[in-house]
Amino acid sequence: MSDKLLKINIQKKLKEFDLDIDFKLKKGRLGILGPSGCGKSMTLKSIAGIVTPDNGAISLITKEETIYFDSNKKINLKPQSRNVGYLFQNYALFPNMTVEENIAIGLSKDYNEKSLSEMIKRFHLDGLEKRYPRQLSGGQQQRVALARILAYGPDVILLDEPFSAMDAFLKEQLRIELVNSLKDFDGFSILVTHDRDEAFQFCDELLILDKGKIIAKGDTHEVFENPKKVQVARLTGCKNISKIEVIDEHHLKSLDWGLIFEVSEKISPNITHIGIRAHDFSPAEKDDVNAIDTENSTKLEMPFEWEITLANGLWWKIDKQIHEHEFVIPKYLKIDPKNIILLEE
């Protein structure tokens, strides 16, 4: 895997904004996270050859370089020449073909029965070979679609919001199945999503898009832990974000909540906001550093957590057991200075 590289540098004028994407992928699984209509799917379609960018280049380096698209060299390979597998939201299975017929399409014309039965076994489809897509569950359909894609040995697999139309239970199940299915895949896979949990669970690396531009990229855990920008913090699920006024190098005033906080990191001149994750508060004494009075707070019970809204608008989430229905809000909460995220606009 170390000698492989996927290079994407594309520009395309769209109605709402200009798409301008430039990144290289060296490791297996990349997530592209962003709100609806930010250019995520357009990026995938450009890689697949379904859409042609105005300018730029897309290439894959394995032992040698394969250029998918290059506007200067006038190269634009057809989708079927790119060896890219595209998993559509609806899986695009052939409705009049059985499971084994759908998978066999991905195999070479002179495939043998052994390689077909290996794919069926690998994706836990034994006993379903003669069924048609309409007779399968959503999870089974996804496995057939993935088996068909992997059967022809693609270099790149593109996953375009594959769970967007599913209920929460099925979504969780299929996310785990997808991660397991792609464990042994030696190529690149790119998942487009607006769901932060999906991105966190599936991806080694993460790109965050906003209006056609990359606003963050890097190791997935690092992007979540240190978002750096307000929009990145929002997209990675930070519930509490406030404008600030700087007091000194380690103290600031939150303008939205009217509180003064101590922070562990030195406040640089470009910091305009702070973020506090809703799970990062803990019960406190009045004189603790960053203690917050909880008077006039409201609480909302969820199956597995309490959601507490403080009078100043701060939001605290705390885990609970399904059978617990009583909770006394402590008189004070605190936030550790190191858990206050410093953010640029």
Side-chain angles (χ1 to χ4, degrees), residues 30-36 38 40 191-200 203 205-210 213 215-216 220 223-224 231-232 234-237:
L30 173 76
I32 302 180
L33 179 67
S36 295
C38 71
K40 303 186 301 292
L191 171 79
V192 150
T193 182
H194 57 261
D195 183 312
R196 69 173 194 276
D197 293 347
E198 259 168 48
F200 192 87
C203 309
E205 293 191 43
L206 193 59
L207 287 186
I208 296 194
L209 282 197
D210 191 31
K213 307 279 187 293
I215 58 169
T220 300
V223 172
F224 270 79
Q231 181 66 343
V232 178
R234 280 204 186 97
L235 287 167
T236 55

Side-chain angles (χ1 to χ4, degrees), residues 181-196:
S181 298
L182 292 176
K183 230 172 222 164
D184 303 323
F185 177 56
D186 190 37
F188 295 102
S189 45
I190 302 177
L191 171 79
V192 150
T193 182
H194 57 261
D195 183 312
R196 69 173 194 276

Side-chain angles (χ1 to χ4, degrees), residues 10-147:
I10 51 171
Q11 296 80 44
K12 188 169 179 66
K13 199 161 191 59
L14 304 174
K15 202 156 71 174
E16 289 81 16
F17 52 79
D18 292 348
L19 184 69
D20 189 355
I21 302 289
D22 185 4
F23 68 90
K24 291 174 184 169
L25 183 59
K26 293 176 187 172
K27 279 201 286 187
R29 296 199 297 257
L30 173 76
I32 302 180
L33 179 67
S36 295
C38 71
K40 303 186 301 292
S41 290
M42 190 62 72
T43 302
L44 280 202
K45 285 172 180 159
S46 299
I47 297 167
I50 299 166
V51 161
T52 303
D54 299 332
N55 295 296
I58 303 167
S59 67
L60 175 75
I61 299 170
T62 48
K63 294 288 182 285
E64 53 194 40
E65 186 168 25
T66 303
I67 298 171
Y68 292 165
F69 170 77
D70 191 316
S71 55
N72 291 333
K73 295 178 181 172
K74 305 282 189 285
I75 296 171
N76 189 15
L77 291 189
K78 290 188 169 72
Q80 53 271 35
S81 304
R82 295 191 182 203
N83 205 26
V84 169
Y86 201 120
L87 186 69
F88 292 91
Q89 286 180 17
N90 62 359
Y91 306 136
L93 296 174
F94 295 105
N96 57 340
M97 289 186 182
T98 62
V99 166
E100 61 185 4
E101 287 168 341
N102 264 288
I103 296 170
I105 281 179
L107 296 163
S108 59
K109 286 188 172 67
D110 56 349
Y111 77 90
N112 58 40
E113 289 300 321
K114 187 169 180 275
S115 52
L116 178 58
S117 64
E118 276 171 3
M119 289 307 285
I120 285 166
K121 198 172 176 185
R122 179 178 164 189
F123 284 90
H124 311 293
L125 295 163
D126 321 57
L128 304 174
E129 294 90 338
K130 304 297 180 193
R131 288 197 191 176
Y132 291 91
R134 64 180 178 277
Q135 299 170 311
L136 303 174
S137 69
Q140 289 163 344
Q141 286 183 28
Q142 188 198 68
R143 292 206 298 272
V144 175
L146 265 177

Side-chain angles (χ1 to χ4, degrees), residues 228-257:
K228 294 182 181 169
K229 289 189 166 67
V230 170
Q231 181 66 343
V232 178
R234 280 204 186 97
L235 287 167
T236 55
C238 186
K239 301 294 184 197
N240 301 301
I241 294 174
S242 169
K243 284 185 177 177
I244 61 152
E245 195 178 275
V246 177
I247 297 169
D248 61 35
E249 286 185 347
H250 290 280
H251 294 86
L252 50 82
K253 182 178 182 183
S254 143
L255 299 179
D256 293 41
W257 312 315

Side-chain angles (χ1 to χ4, degrees), residues 214-226:
I214 295 171
I215 58 169
K217 61 180 171 181
D219 174 84
T220 300
H221 292 171
E222 174 60 26
V223 172
F224 270 79
E225 287 163 28
N226 188 13

